[in-house]
Amino acid sequence: MSDGRLTIAPEMVRKMLDEQFPAWAALPLKRVEKDGWDNNTFRLGNELKVHLPSAAGYVPQVVKEFNWLPKLAKHLPVAVPAPAALGKPNADYPYPWSVYRWIEGETASAHSVRDMNEFARDLATFLHALWAVDTTGAPEAGDHNCYRGGDLSVYDEETRFCLSGVTDLIDADAALMIWEQALRSKREKPAVWVQGDLSNGNILTRDGRLSAVIDFGLCTVGDPACDLVITWKFFSGVNREIFKTAVNIDQNTWDRAIGWALWKAVRTLYYARKDHIAEEQREAKAVIEAILSDARLVTTKT
């Protein structure tokens, strides 16, 4: 166990693979360099990867992704994970798990993206395609995806608590005004598909261009505002404005989007400070400053 999550040994994964999918017995297995939070992830040969939930709370993601990703993939302009097999729990590991086709690519970053303006337009195109997919029978926001795509009020108490602990680091009064404005805005349009965790860490590039979006464990149908946090976490200046223009949504949705971004950044700042993680503090403060500046509410703190 690590932070309440299972850390799974490669030997256990190898044993389950050999028992349930003997055709892959000869393929080498190794843990990926950058593992995720929700899953233990292993590279299986050159063309496959294995996902195993790290805690019970992430189990609903397994079947949801396995069932829905092939349907979404038909309508999206970039690659998404393609399920290859669904594994069963055994005496050593208590949860269902999955095998996916490996997607080659480099995590999106300032270094891997050749043209941020182009990337902004391409990402907006992906979002519009995702929002246009039929939602019949799709899962709604709830515990299974940490309420991404649901109502921001779920995080009201946490946001206010975290804000109260960082008043000396940011303009908390301005942040609270933005948060309360976001809470007043409600989704009145039909629900659409949302990826749920659209951060640059879940986006891949090839030859400098957007090529894939991965990790749909938090996907659902609901309010697309939660997928716009990347506006302030990854984009800046001209490319941020290009992304906003290309996304082309109403101001109420932007108000909620900025609320989602603020909740995540304030939460990160609070706990990074508590845990003395300087880099995470700097990154979270930068996002908050971008949000405040964008809302024209920032003031200089001394």
Side-chain angles (χ1 to χ4, degrees), residues 61-290:
Q61 300 178 11
V62 177
V63 174
K64 179 177 66 175
E65 285 189 294
F66 198 86
N67 289 338
W68 284 103
L69 277 171
K71 300 173 183 178
L72 292 174
K74 298 175 183 178
H75 305 281
L76 300 177
V78 298
V80 297
L86 187 62
K88 300 177 181 179
N90 65 6
D92 298 315
Y93 180 73
Y95 310 133
W97 47 283
S98 51
V99 182
Y100 286 87
R101 300 295 174 188
W102 181 264
I103 302 176
E104 290 290 347
E106 188 174 355
T107 302
S109 68
H111 301 292
S112 68
V113 174
R114 72 182 185 189
D115 184 332
M116 286 294 289
N117 295 345
E118 175 185 65
F119 182 85
R121 295 187 188 97
D122 288 347
L123 187 60
T125 297
F126 163 80
L127 283 172
H128 281 292
L130 179 64
W131 297 341
V133 178
D134 181 28
T135 61
T136 302
E140 297 180 356
D143 287 337
H144 70 93
N145 77 326
C146 304
Y147 291 90
R148 304 292 173 88
D151 198 295
L152 267 175
S153 61
V154 171
Y155 292 109
D156 186 31
E157 182 177 351
E158 181 181 44
T159 301
R160 293 176 189 273
F161 170 78
C162 291
L163 270 175
S164 69
V166 296
T167 55
D168 58 325
L169 299 179
I170 64 169
D171 187 341
D173 291 337
L176 184 59
M177 289 177 63
I178 293 171
W179 176 249
E180 291 180 340
Q181 181 175 345
L183 289 177
R184 289 192 293 270
S185 173
K186 302 298 179 182
R187 175 78 173 176
E188 297 178 350
K189 298 180 180 180
V192 297
W193 274 101
V194 298
Q195 193 267 355
D197 190 18
L198 192 64
S199 63
N200 63 296
N202 288 331
I203 300 173
L204 301 181
T205 64
R206 295 195 73 174
D207 300 322
R209 294 199 65 176
L210 172 64
S211 61
V213 176
I214 61 175
D215 195 353
F216 280 70
L218 299 182
C219 72
T220 190
V221 296
D223 182 0
C226 68
D227 273 350
L228 299 173
V229 173
I230 196 169
T231 307
W232 300 277
K233 287 193 68 175
F234 190 62
F235 295 118
S236 62
V238 172
N239 53 71
R240 180 182 294 153
E241 296 307 312
I242 288 174
F243 181 66
K244 288 181 180 179
T245 299
V247 167
N248 189 29
I249 54 171
D250 60 275
Q251 186 56 50
N252 281 337
T253 304
W254 279 121
D255 288 344
R256 295 190 302 278
I258 210 168
W260 279 102
L262 186 64
W263 157 70
K264 189 63 179 287
V266 168
R267 184 184 189 280
T268 300
L269 179 60
Y270 175 85
Y271 287 106
R273 183 188 206 183
K274 185 177 179 181
D275 296 335
H276 307 289
I277 307 175
E279 183 177 357
E280 286 190 8
Q281 289 186 64
R282 286 193 297 271
E283 291 175 354
K285 283 185 68 176
V287 173
I288 294 169
E289 288 167 3

Side-chain angles (χ1 to χ4, degrees), residues 18 50 212:
D18 291 350
V50 185

